[in-house]
Structures are given as C-alpha cells and as structure tokens.
Amino acid sequence: MNRLIVNARIVNEGRTFDGDLRIRNGRIDAIGSGLTPRDGESVTDAAGRWLLPGMIDDQVHFREPGLTAKGDVASESAAAVAGGLTSFMDMPNTRPPTLDAQALADKYAMAAGRAWGNYGFYLGASNDNLEAVRTLDPKTAPGIKVFMGASTGNMLVDDPEVLGGIFRHAPTPIITHCEDTPTIDALQREYVARYGEDIPAECHPDIRSREACLKSTELAVGLARKHGTRLHVLHISTADELRFFDAGPIQGKRITAETCVHFLHFARADYARLGHLIKCNPAIKDASDRDALIRAVADDVIDVLATDHAPHTWEEKQNPYTKAPSGLPLVQYALVSALEHVHAGRFDIARVVQKFAHAPALLFDVAERGFLREGYWADLVLVDADAPFTVRREDVLSKCGWSPFEGTTFRSQVAATFVNGEQVWDGSRLLGEPAGRRLEFAR
C-alpha cells in the first residue's frame, strides 16, 4: 500500500523537524513539507507525534530452533514490532547451534514468511569451527558471535589459539559476550558452599562479578587491537569497562560498545522486588554502574542500545538460583524504556535514534535501513510522546507471557509500526501478515 504520513515530528540523523513522508512500493519516496495525497494513497495524520526510523535490535534470542516453548521467530518478532523494533539480529546459541553455513541457511529458511520484522542471523564461533568462521560469506550474516563466557553447549570459546584465529580471520565484525568463566565458577562454588542451591538473587552481581567482566573485556579488546579486528562488545554492565572504549561517533571506530535497556533501568536494589525475573548474564549491577552507563550513552562512549531479549518461562524463573535461567524478555517495551531517559532530560530523542537505529545499521553494514532517507526501505515507528500507559501481563506478546516491566508506567507509547512500508502495528494490535525481509549487508 502507498501511504502519505503528514504532520509528523521527524527525528533523523541528529535533526528533529516537522514534515511529511511518502511511502511508495515499500520504500520512502519523499520527505518534505506540504506533501499532498495522490490518487489511491492512504493518508496517516501523525498529529505532531514523533516519526522515527524503525529500531534495529542487534542482540536477541528468539529461541528457534530447539527452544520454542520459550519463544519463536513469529511470537518474538510480533512483540518486537509492537515495541517499534523493525529489524533484529538473532543469536546462534539455539539447539542445534548456528555453527556453519548450512545451519545459517536453515535459520533464514525458517524465518521466511513468519517474521514480523526484518531478520539477520549470526554465525556462532566454537573451539572447533574455525574453518566455518574463516570461510563465512560476509553477506550472509551480520557478524560472528564469540561467547567469551559461559554459554549453551560447546559455544564457550576458551582455547587461546582458536580465539586468536577467530580474531585474525573473521570476515565480518566480531561480537563478544565478555565474562570470564573460571572467575564466575569459582565464585559460584563459594556461594553454593554458603547458601546451598537457593542463593539469594541479589548475590547474582557478586557471582557474575565486575571482575569477570573486566578480565574478559580486556582480553577481547587486546585481541582486537593486536589483529586489527572490527570488534563490538555486547551488553556492557559496569562503569569499569567503559575505560576500554573511546568517545565519539561510531564512524571510524574499530572497537565499539553496546549496552542494553535493562542496564539503564534496573539496579541492585531491584533484586529484592523482582528476584530471578531480572537475573541475566552479565548481571544487573549497582546504581552507580547504571548511572555511568546512562552518561556513556549521552557522551557517545556507548555506541549501540539493544535488548539481549532472552525469554524464559515463568515457571523456570521460579526455580532456586542455580536452576533459574538467565535472561529477560524485553523487545516490546525497550524503546519506551529508553525514551524515559529523554523525558528525564538525560539525553535527547535524537540520541535514542542514533543508538537504536543509525549506529547498528552502520556497524553491521545494513543495506538501506536504519535511516529516514529517500529510497530506503520504509521501516518506521510513530511514537506518541505524551501517552502514559502501565505495562500489564495480559498485553505481553512474547510467548513466555510476562515482562520484568509489569506495573511500570511509561510516558510514551508506540502508536504505529511500519515494516517495508506495511503497517503491522496500530498501537493496540497486529495488522495484516508478517512483512519482514531478510536483511542485506552492503559488504
């Protein structure tokens, strides 16, 4: 459907201005002021609401294949577009893991026609798939995921020679989960000896410690500098790690950093209320870490905002500490959570768009997305900045059926989401059919 969006407050590439936007054949045909409807064109009156490029989430776990009781591409991408996230990049630690070109092709085939948003899939690294890493076609994946901390199956890469080979030969950006497993294992043994299996949830940031994060991040950054690797460090959770990253625009950086919306929202005191519902790896840490990360977003030390969306069932989360899985379902409320910092004056709306849309598009060479530009795909989100709502469990679209934000009142609301020019969310329900396409990488 061709559409004209009028009376929008457009936010793009550091500018906020009043204007109109025309969609034709799935792409942005024109951006301007005073655009008039053409025959057969549907008109949407934005009524002064923010019009943003659709968010690109560079870190999700949609659980397919093999873990679909928790979530799948259809359910989790539905939650994503309801939250204004129009493209996602899914992690390889599924069952089976995505460790070679065939597994990667299988995941793309699985998502076709079922994903509400646009999709890309990472190749995973392991101690024994260096040849698959070396020979990866860089147009088929956003990057190569290296777990330098505990993960599913055999995906913990702890062989120094293999790590060196991956950093030396990777044909795409490397993205890393940085936690030092021996440090974590030793600390967990100490806490099990003290408490048994039912360790208090507030001990999680002491077990998944800042020391474990620092040691692993320092190793990854050192390897990247040695080999000239394009490195992106995921879900930074401590103030201490920020010293490894430079301030400034993402263009020209070889080493970049990401944090996630939950690290900007929650802190240690929240474990008393939420327990294992906010247990994740790396762990949510102190309020001082949260505040430092917020400043790092504002100061361009943190380059990308993401979710690390990782749904688990409610029942699993009720287990004792050693059996309760780590991960939070976040995509549906990620954007509105980030916009709370705009309302609070910590950074502006253009900064959110930069971190959630422009920067991941640039980092991963995403073709024709992430910006409001004529000729680009029309991935758009319309946001009402003055429409408070309270998160309710019955509104959660993720298959797991719960949110750590339940009971939270957000001041903004996603009024509409468009994927490849098709409206797929109207503020309260999904519309039409899944419109997601495979992401293309301009390499």
Side-chain angles (χ1 to χ4, degrees):
M1 176 186 294
N2 296 332
R3 183 183 300 267
L4 179 64
I5 301 173
V6 298
N7 302 320
R9 188 73 175 148
I10 296 172
V11 185
N12 186 56
E13 300 189 67
R15 296 178 58 222
T16 302
F17 58 97
D18 296 326
D20 312 319
L21 184 147
R22 170 170 282 118
I23 301 168
R24 185 173 177 81
N25 297 326
R27 294 181 180 265
I28 298 170
D29 182 65
I31 301 171
S33 60
L35 300 182
T36 56
R38 296 172 177 170
D39 289 345
E41 201 168 55
S42 175
V43 177
T44 297
D45 187 353
R49 291 173 290 190
W50 283 328
L51 184 63
L52 320 176
M55 305 293 106
I56 299 173
D57 194 343
D58 77 349
Q59 187 186 183
V60 303
H61 301 262
F62 280 0
R63 303 302 190 197
E64 192 171 354
L67 299 161
T68 52
K70 304 170 190 278
D72 58 43
V73 163
S75 66
E76 306 315 290
S77 65
V81 298
L85 304 177
T86 57
S87 297
F88 62 88
M89 300 176 190
D90 186 72
M91 291 296 159
N93 56 329
T94 48
R95 294 180 184 168
T98 315
L99 294 175
D100 57 38
Q102 185 57 58
L104 199 57
D106 290 345
K107 285 186 78 169
Y108 280 113
M110 166 270 299
R114 298 176 57 232
W116 288 87
N118 308 304
Y119 47 91
F121 297 106
Y122 292 102
L123 181 75
S126 72
N127 279 331
D128 53 12
N129 79 330
L130 182 56
E131 188 59 25
V133 168
R134 290 166 53 108
T135 59
L136 174 68
D137 179 349
K139 292 184 179 293
T140 62
I144 294 163
K145 175 66 181 289
V146 181
F147 287 92
M148 299 175 71
S151 181
T152 303
N154 69 334
M155 292 191 66
L156 168 60
V157 183
D158 56 3
D159 183 321
E161 288 192 15
V162 173
L163 271 177
I166 293 168
F167 275 76
R168 189 163 50 249
H169 296 296
T172 69
I174 286 178
I175 59 169
T176 53
H177 177 140
C178 287
E179 291 184 286
D180 183 66
T181 301
T183 300
I184 294 165
D185 289 347
L187 286 166
Q188 181 154 323
R189 285 192 295 270
E190 291 179 17
Y191 278 81
V192 168
R194 188 183 312 172
Y195 293 104
E197 300 295 304
D198 201 8
I199 300 167
E202 55 264 30
C203 296
H204 189 55
D206 301 313
I207 295 171
R208 313 286 304 205
S209 67
R210 72 181 59 247
E211 292 76 19
C213 295
L214 271 169
K215 185 174 182 179
S216 186
T217 298
E218 185 172 22
L219 173 61
V221 170
L223 284 167
R225 287 176 176 159
K226 177 181 178 180
H227 298 292
T229 313
R230 181 67 183 86
L231 172 68
H232 184 54
V233 181
L234 301 176
H235 43 47
I236 298 294
S237 63
T238 73
D240 309 72
E241 291 167 277
L242 295 172
R243 69 172 184 255
F244 296 118
F245 305 98
D246 296 327
I250 195 169
Q251 294 93 329
K253 286 186 182 181
R254 297 291 293 170
I255 298 172
T256 51
E258 174 212 280
T259 196
C260 300
V261 290
H262 49 296
F263 295 127
L264 306 185
H265 185 90
F266 299 110
R268 185 185 289 266
D270 293 304
Y271 287 104
R273 176 173 59 93
L274 293 167
H276 297 150
L277 296 182
I278 58 167
K279 183 186 179 194
C280 56
N281 300 338
I284 292 163
K285 297 183 175 68
D286 295 329
S288 58
D289 295 298
R290 177 189 62 198
D291 295 345
L293 292 168
I294 291 169
R295 289 193 299 272
V297 171
D299 294 342
D300 268 349
V301 176
I302 293 288
D303 301 286
V304 173
L305 268 177
T307 67
D308 197 13
H309 175 88
H312 296 283
T313 67
W314 177 265
E315 291 74 21
E316 288 175 311
K317 283 289 194 177
Q318 309 314 305
N319 283 323
Y321 176 86
T322 57
K323 294 183 172 61
S326 292
L328 288 65
L330 292 159
V331 288
Q332 190 168 345
Y333 304 108
L335 175 55
V336 292
S337 172
L339 292 176
E340 286 300 297
H341 301 289
V342 177
H343 287 290
R346 300 183 185 110
F347 40 76
D348 62 15
I349 180 64
R351 185 70 78 203
V352 174
V353 170
Q354 177 192 0
K355 304 303 181 187
F356 242 142
H358 302 337
L362 293 169
L363 195 167
F364 295 103
D365 307 301
V366 177
E368 300 178 322
R369 302 188 191 276
F371 297 85
L372 302 183
R373 293 175 177 171
E374 293 176 0
Y376 274 44
W377 288 104
D379 297 335
L380 316 170
V381 56
L382 194 62
V383 174
D384 191 332
D386 187 22
F389 75 102
T390 301
V391 176
R392 306 181 304 167
R393 182 168 296 190
E394 55 263 38
D395 297 327
V396 172
L397 296 183
S398 288
K399 187 182 282 191
C400 67
W402 63 274
S403 168
F405 291 124
E406 287 172 34
T408 301
T409 298
F410 291 119
R411 284 172 275 190
S412 304
Q413 195 164 154
V414 174
T417 306
F418 302 85
V419 176
N420 300 309
E422 297 295 326
Q423 186 174 0
V424 294
W425 178 254
D426 71 354
S428 60
R429 62 192 177 96
L430 295 165
L431 301 177
E433 300 295 330
R437 292 172 175 260
R438 177 172 173 166
L439 292 174
E440 296 181 356
F441 306 101
R443 295 172 176 150

